[in-house]
mmCIF file of all heavy atoms in Angstrom:
data_model
loop_
_atom_site.group_PDB
_atom_site.id
_atom_site.type_symbol
_atom_site.label_atom_id
_atom_site.label_comp_id
_atom_site.label_asym_id
_atom_site.label_seq_id
_atom_site.Cartn_x
_atom_site.Cartn_y
_atom_site.Cartn_z
ATOM 1 N N GLU A 99 -120.460 -20.123 52.651
ATOM 2 C CA GLU A 99 -119.531 -20.150 53.775
ATOM 3 C C GLU A 99 -120.246 -20.196 55.129
ATOM 4 O O GLU A 99 -119.743 -20.741 56.043
ATOM 5 C CB GLU A 99 -118.576 -18.927 53.703
ATOM 6 C CG GLU A 99 -117.717 -18.885 52.424
ATOM 7 C CD GLU A 99 -116.961 -20.125 52.177
ATOM 8 O OE1 GLU A 99 -116.411 -20.690 53.080
ATOM 9 O OE2 GLU A 99 -116.937 -20.519 50.999
ATOM 10 N N ALA A 100 -121.411 -19.495 55.249
ATOM 11 C CA ALA A 100 -122.052 -19.413 56.535
ATOM 12 C C ALA A 100 -123.021 -20.611 56.811
ATOM 13 O O ALA A 100 -123.155 -20.972 57.967
ATOM 14 C CB ALA A 100 -122.927 -18.108 56.559
ATOM 15 N N ASN A 101 -123.558 -21.203 55.786
ATOM 16 C CA ASN A 101 -124.560 -22.189 56.008
ATOM 17 C C ASN A 101 -123.929 -23.470 56.736
ATOM 18 O O ASN A 101 -124.563 -23.985 57.659
ATOM 19 C CB ASN A 101 -125.196 -22.663 54.737
ATOM 20 C CG ASN A 101 -126.430 -23.601 54.949
ATOM 21 O OD1 ASN A 101 -127.359 -23.208 55.689
ATOM 22 N ND2 ASN A 101 -126.371 -24.826 54.399
ATOM 23 N N PRO A 102 -122.735 -23.958 56.330
ATOM 24 C CA PRO A 102 -122.171 -25.066 57.131
ATOM 25 C C PRO A 102 -121.980 -24.742 58.592
ATOM 26 O O PRO A 102 -122.141 -25.652 59.475
ATOM 27 C CB PRO A 102 -120.860 -25.344 56.376
ATOM 28 C CG PRO A 102 -121.026 -24.791 55.046
ATOM 29 C CD PRO A 102 -121.931 -23.560 55.194
ATOM 30 N N ILE A 103 -121.589 -23.530 58.931
ATOM 31 C CA ILE A 103 -121.440 -23.134 60.348
ATOM 32 C C ILE A 103 -122.710 -23.171 61.069
ATOM 33 O O ILE A 103 -122.834 -23.693 62.118
ATOM 34 C CB ILE A 103 -120.789 -21.686 60.359
ATOM 35 C CG1 ILE A 103 -119.378 -21.730 59.682
ATOM 36 C CG2 ILE A 103 -120.667 -21.212 61.826
ATOM 37 C CD1 ILE A 103 -118.818 -20.333 59.555
ATOM 38 N N PHE A 104 -123.732 -22.534 60.439
ATOM 39 C CA PHE A 104 -125.080 -22.509 61.055
ATOM 40 C C PHE A 104 -125.644 -23.906 61.227
ATOM 41 O O PHE A 104 -126.198 -24.221 62.330
ATOM 42 C CB PHE A 104 -125.962 -21.596 60.195
ATOM 43 C CG PHE A 104 -127.337 -21.473 60.791
ATOM 44 C CD1 PHE A 104 -127.536 -20.759 61.984
ATOM 45 C CD2 PHE A 104 -128.507 -21.929 60.153
ATOM 46 C CE1 PHE A 104 -128.839 -20.552 62.506
ATOM 47 C CE2 PHE A 104 -129.726 -21.774 60.666
ATOM 48 C CZ PHE A 104 -129.889 -21.092 61.840
ATOM 49 N N LYS A 105 -125.508 -24.699 60.218
ATOM 50 C CA LYS A 105 -126.053 -26.071 60.324
ATOM 51 C C LYS A 105 -125.388 -26.870 61.409
ATOM 52 O O LYS A 105 -125.999 -27.650 62.138
ATOM 53 C CB LYS A 105 -125.966 -26.826 58.992
ATOM 54 C CG LYS A 105 -126.702 -28.120 58.944
ATOM 55 C CD LYS A 105 -126.828 -28.680 57.571
ATOM 56 C CE LYS A 105 -127.687 -29.962 57.554
ATOM 57 N NZ LYS A 105 -127.845 -30.475 56.206
ATOM 58 N N LYS A 106 -124.082 -26.716 61.494
ATOM 59 C CA LYS A 106 -123.309 -27.459 62.552
ATOM 60 C C LYS A 106 -123.759 -27.091 63.895
ATOM 61 O O LYS A 106 -123.892 -27.895 64.830
ATOM 62 C CB LYS A 106 -121.785 -27.242 62.356
ATOM 63 C CG LYS A 106 -120.955 -28.036 63.318
ATOM 64 C CD LYS A 106 -119.530 -27.800 63.053
ATOM 65 C CE LYS A 106 -118.631 -28.592 64.037
ATOM 66 N NZ LYS A 106 -117.170 -28.431 63.768
ATOM 67 N N ARG A 107 -124.097 -25.843 64.117
ATOM 68 C CA ARG A 107 -124.524 -25.298 65.417
ATOM 69 C C ARG A 107 -125.959 -25.610 65.772
ATOM 70 O O ARG A 107 -126.323 -25.778 66.945
ATOM 71 C CB ARG A 107 -124.288 -23.780 65.523
ATOM 72 C CG ARG A 107 -122.779 -23.407 65.483
ATOM 73 C CD ARG A 107 -122.626 -21.819 65.554
ATOM 74 N NE ARG A 107 -121.254 -21.490 65.391
ATOM 75 C CZ ARG A 107 -120.785 -20.237 65.428
ATOM 76 N NH1 ARG A 107 -121.728 -19.234 65.608
ATOM 77 N NH2 ARG A 107 -119.513 -19.964 65.254
ATOM 78 N N THR A 108 -126.797 -25.563 64.753
ATOM 79 C CA THR A 108 -128.267 -25.626 64.999
ATOM 80 C C THR A 108 -128.963 -26.860 64.398
ATOM 81 O O THR A 108 -130.126 -27.153 64.790
ATOM 82 C CB THR A 108 -128.974 -24.350 64.485
ATOM 83 O OG1 THR A 108 -128.869 -24.328 63.055
ATOM 84 C CG2 THR A 108 -128.283 -23.123 65.046
ATOM 85 N N GLY A 109 -128.339 -27.487 63.404
ATOM 86 C CA GLY A 109 -129.004 -28.494 62.687
ATOM 87 C C GLY A 109 -129.978 -28.045 61.607
ATOM 88 O O GLY A 109 -130.622 -28.808 60.922
ATOM 89 N N LYS A 110 -130.006 -26.707 61.467
ATOM 90 C CA LYS A 110 -130.881 -26.078 60.456
ATOM 91 C C LYS A 110 -130.079 -25.508 59.309
ATOM 92 O O LYS A 110 -128.850 -25.269 59.367
ATOM 93 C CB LYS A 110 -131.702 -24.907 61.116
ATOM 94 C CG LYS A 110 -132.495 -25.312 62.399
ATOM 95 C CD LYS A 110 -133.585 -26.233 62.009
ATOM 96 C CE LYS A 110 -134.382 -26.537 63.279
ATOM 97 N NZ LYS A 110 -135.641 -27.388 63.001
#
Side-chain angles (χ1 to χ4, degrees):
E99 301 306 320
N101 192 57
I103 298 171
F104 182 66
K105 188 169 185 178
K106 184 176 180 180
R107 294 181 184 178
T108 67
K110 306 290 186 180

